[in-house]
Amino acid sequence: MSGNRLRGLAALAVAGWMVLPILPLVVWSLAHGWRFPDLLPQDLSAQAWRIALSPVTGVLHSFALTTLIACLTTALALLIGLPAGRALGLYRFRGRGLVVLLLAAPAILPAIALVFGLHGALLRLGLAGTVTGVILAHLVPVLPYVTLVLAAVFARFDPALEDQARSLGATALQSLTRVTLPAIWPGLLTAALFAFLVSWSQYLLTLAAGGGRVQTLPLLLFSSASAGRNDVTAAIALLYILP
């Protein structure tokens, strides 16, 4: 068997392993009744999807709000992380290791410790229970991913390319948009993807910063699961894993 065929089978096996846990969710979302020891549901119904997609239940609103928060968090993280990643990737300075350690701390520390600290800070700022507060809270675990990914990207970037563009008459903005960004674009997309997914999946931080008033999809999913509606929970879970 050729190496390409082996790699193809391995990729197919990994893809199947990743998709396999989703299949029960699909069945549950269509199951009107599914009780042990039946292998398949007794009745199939689209009622769970009608509930999940109804404007009354607020699932679609939570989906849109979660997307908005994740997009704004990603944009802010890129604005902050781009110059920080450039500095860490291109320059060697005293205390650089400590800076990297402090940046990685939010991703290493227990989430519950971050929750208590952030909640108190947001209360003092008057941002608890607001979308702005939730976005600022999400920046704490998101920024380490963005900054460290971009630092790795800039470590392989040659700043002499910018100097050459400037010597040929390019402005600083032209050098950024026509030289730097195209060169780091794959890494920038990777950092943005990490930022979006980390923000999208936040539960504890959203619950603490939003005070229960900012209903994102993870909060709605846990609430539905606690209510015991497995079919509706499965439908919301499928929406939740779309990204």
Side-chain angles (χ1 to χ4, degrees):
M1 187 177 292
S2 67
N4 288 335
R5 186 175 178 82
L6 283 174
R7 284 192 291 269
L9 289 175
L12 185 63
V14 171
W17 183 258
M18 294 177 66
V19 171
L20 192 62
I22 301 175
L23 296 180
L25 286 177
V26 176
V27 179
W28 264 116
S29 70
L30 298 172
H32 186 61
W34 193 4
R35 296 177 182 84
F36 182 83
D38 296 323
L39 186 61
L40 294 174
Q42 295 90 346
D43 300 305
L44 296 178
S45 170
Q47 181 183 7
W49 283 105
R50 286 194 293 269
I51 294 174
L53 299 178
S54 171
V56 178
T57 57
V59 175
L60 293 179
H61 177 266
S62 292
F63 186 93
L65 181 61
T66 309
T67 304
L68 175 65
I69 290 173
C71 287
L72 292 176
T73 302
T74 300
L76 284 174
L78 289 176
L79 285 175
I80 299 171
L82 187 61
R86 181 186 175 94
L88 287 174
L90 291 180
Y91 306 112
R92 297 294 180 266
F93 50 88
R94 182 172 297 181
R96 181 180 180 277
L98 179 60
V99 172
V100 173
L101 178 63
L102 291 175
L103 276 172
I108 299 172
L109 293 174
I112 193 68
L114 292 176
V115 165
F116 282 116
L118 282 172
H119 183 62
L122 291 174
L123 279 175
R124 287 190 292 271
L125 293 172
L127 294 174
T130 65
V131 172
T132 302
V134 171
I135 292 172
L136 292 177
H138 284 195
L139 277 176
V140 175
V142 165
L143 271 175
Y145 290 96
V146 172
T147 305
L148 295 177
V149 166
L150 290 176
V153 171
F154 275 108
R156 297 188 295 272
F157 176 74
D158 185 3
L161 296 173
E162 296 175 331
D163 296 335
Q164 292 173 13
R166 295 296 295 273
S167 68
L168 294 172
T171 63
L173 181 60
Q174 288 173 330
S175 176
L176 174 66
T177 57
R178 298 185 182 183
V179 177
T180 309
L181 289 182
I184 67 167
W185 188 248
L188 199 64
L189 287 180
T190 302
L193 179 62
F194 272 115
F196 184 89
L197 292 178
V198 171
S199 174
W200 175 274
S201 62
Q202 290 301 316
Y203 173 74
L204 279 176
L205 282 178
T206 305
L207 182 63
R213 291 193 289 270
V214 181
Q215 282 288 324
T216 59
L217 209 56
L219 268 65
L220 205 61
L221 177 61
F222 276 86
S223 176
S224 176
S226 302
R229 283 298 303 268
N230 293 332
D231 53 347
V232 177
T233 302
I236 298 175
L238 287 171
L239 293 174
Y240 175 64
I241 63 176
L242 277 179

